[in-house]
Amino acid sequence: MREFSKPKVVVSKCIEFSACRYNGDKLTDQTVHNLKPFVEFIPVCPEVEIGLGTPREVIRLVADGEQDLLVQPKTGKDLTNVMEEFAENFLADLKDVDGFILKNRSPSCGITDVKVYSGLEKSPTVRTGSGAFTSKIFEYYPKTTIEDEGRLKNFKIREHYLTKLFTTTDFKKVKSTLKLNHLNDFHKRNKYLFMAYNQKRLKLLGQILSNKEKRPIEETFSLYEEELFQLFSRIPRYTSNINVCQRIFGYFSPHLSTKEKEYFLETLEKYREKKLPISSVVSILKAWAYRFENDFMLEQTFFEPYPEQLVEISDSGKGRNYS
């Protein structure tokens, strides 16, 4: 079983931590609950931090040209500047952070789905955008691992978020050493995981690592990090997972019986038809890695990109596709 570094994750305080929603509620959330033993959470409620009580009058984003103002319709208060000041101070004081889990649709914490209205009350929605607090997160942490609790109910999105979170946290630990052999080891054990995400970017990462240009070590790490976040910019296609599983299968195929080969290929076909999750295929390959004592394969993060205790196939039911 892999050992994982503990990521630091900023979370909306109303999710699992405090009854501080505008209506005085606290939300229960399975993903955040499950993550508690594996993550160092930093809970925050921007609305409470700027002096709004609990419960409190509703606030909303209102369009002012291209700018979004954060206002409280009942009182007429414009909270834009005080929220921006809090966000800037809070984010500047963060020593190190690996990810964010924020409340969806919140005028302060929403990521992309916050309604922006044309006026204070009984006005139509003119667009959707980011909450006033989240907008500052994108300025300070443009490459961060960020999601809202609503989207994390989707199996594919949650799996991608966890994979990116724990892999980039691992990279930061490696980066802190500024040792090329540590980066080589990181690249080696992530080979098949990166291949599943993007084969072209895997090749680019390898070229950066080879450092034929004789760059300084700091520049090599910086370029590698930039390309790593590009690699995680989208969820991997299921066809890429199939390709990786077929490659790993090729390592073991000469040592397998005809029945074992047939069973694996049948399972892979069920995954292709989206009748089974990728974990059903990967578990077979991992068992063979143990059986044949293949240390190179056993070190591959593709088999366990995040703690296996977090593997949960429950899903919101919206757009469910095994991946």
Side-chain angles (χ1 to χ4, degrees):
M1 186 177 291
R2 281 184 63 191
E3 290 186 8
F4 291 89
S5 300
K6 258 193 172 184
K8 291 183 180 179
V9 178
V10 173
V11 62
S12 291
K13 202 171 188 176
C14 62
I15 307 173
E16 285 284 329
F17 285 92
S18 177
C20 59
R21 290 202 75 203
Y22 72 96
N23 59 0
D25 284 350
K26 178 176 75 171
L27 298 175
T28 58
D29 183 84
Q30 195 63 49
T31 300
V32 172
H33 176 78
N34 291 348
L35 274 168
K36 285 181 178 179
F38 304 98
V39 162
E40 181 183 335
F41 275 121
I42 305 170
V44 62
C45 177
E47 294 172 21
V48 169
E49 293 294 335
I50 64 171
L52 301 181
T54 304
R56 53 187 170 273
E57 297 295 337
V58 171
I59 59 176
R60 61 164 50 175
L61 295 180
V62 174
D64 181 24
E66 294 299 313
Q67 182 185 8
D68 296 337
L69 301 178
L70 184 66
V71 297
Q72 193 170 50
K74 188 166 184 178
T75 64
K77 287 182 180 178
D78 184 339
L79 303 166
T80 310
N81 291 337
V82 68
M83 179 61 81
E84 286 185 355
E85 183 180 355
F86 163 72
E88 288 173 354
N89 289 336
F90 175 82
L91 295 169
D93 286 343
L94 284 177
K95 301 303 180 187
D96 188 29
V97 67
D98 301 295
F100 294 81
I101 298 177
L102 303 173
K103 179 69 192 78
N104 70 337
R105 302 177 185 173
S106 160
S108 56
C109 291
I111 297 175
T112 59
D113 57 357
V114 185
K115 292 180 179 180
V116 182
Y117 296 88
S118 63
L120 290 181
E121 293 190 71
K122 296 181 180 179
S123 303
T125 304
V126 293
R127 59 177 176 263
T128 57
S130 302
F133 177 69
T134 305
S135 295
K136 288 296 177 183
I137 293 174
F138 288 132
E139 287 183 27
Y140 279 76
Y141 295 95
K143 297 181 293 185
T144 192
T145 305
I146 183 170
E147 267 300 350
D148 66 54
E149 102 292 351
R151 280 171 49 88
L152 286 175
K153 289 177 172 59
N154 177 281
F155 177 80
K156 286 175 67 177
I157 293 171
R158 183 171 65 249
E159 185 173 56
H160 171 62
Y161 176 87
L162 294 174
T163 299
K164 180 180 178 181
L165 177 66
F166 283 93
T167 306
T168 54
T169 300
D170 189 21
F171 171 77
K172 284 184 180 179
K173 184 178 179 181
V174 172
K175 184 183 177 183
S176 68
T177 70
L178 283 180
K179 292 184 177 180
L180 197 59
N181 63 318
H182 290 176
L183 185 58
N184 268 300
D185 289 341
F186 173 84
H187 186 76
K188 179 181 175 183
R189 65 179 177 266
N190 283 287
K191 175 184 176 180
Y192 286 107
L193 178 66
F194 294 169
M195 186 184 294
Y197 267 84
N198 193 310
Q199 288 194 49
K200 290 183 178 178
R201 293 204 181 277
L202 169 64
K203 186 177 180 180
L204 286 171
L205 286 166
Q207 291 171 350
I208 292 168
L209 192 55
S210 66
N211 197 16
K212 293 179 181 178
E213 297 83 0
K214 306 299 180 184
R215 305 183 196 93
I217 188 67
E218 293 85 357
E219 186 179 348
T220 298
F221 268 92
S222 181
L223 289 170
Y224 192 98
E225 181 176 27
E226 184 68 33
E227 197 59 46
L228 180 64
F229 276 94
Q230 287 296 322
L231 179 135
F232 282 119
S233 63
R234 65 166 180 80
I235 295 173
R237 298 182 179 91
Y238 81 99
T239 50
S240 297
N241 277 328
I242 291 171
N243 177 57
V244 170
C245 289
Q246 286 173 329
R247 284 174 178 258
I248 297 173
F249 172 65
Y251 272 95
F252 301 121
S253 184
H255 312 289
L256 302 172
S257 69
T258 301
K259 290 293 185 182
E260 285 176 315
K261 295 176 188 178
E262 288 176 354
Y263 177 70
F264 174 79
L265 293 174
E266 287 170 3
T267 305
L268 188 62
E269 187 58 31
K270 288 178 182 176
Y271 169 68
R272 189 192 304 274
E273 295 170 355
K274 300 180 181 178
K275 295 177 180 178
L276 287 175
I278 188 63
S279 56
S280 298
V281 183
V282 169
S283 62
I284 299 173
L285 296 171
K286 190 173 183 179
W288 288 337
Y290 278 114
R291 174 178 160 190
F292 299 114
E293 298 181 345
N294 190 311
D295 292 337
F296 173 75
M297 285 298 177
L298 289 172
E299 289 179 354
Q300 289 300 306
T301 60
F302 178 73
F303 292 121
E304 193 181 355
Y306 53 86
E308 63 179 10
Q309 295 93 325
L310 298 175
V311 177
E312 180 194 3
I313 63 170
S314 63
D315 188 84
S316 63
K318 297 179 180 178
R320 170 69 178 268
N321 278 319
Y322 288 120
S323 177

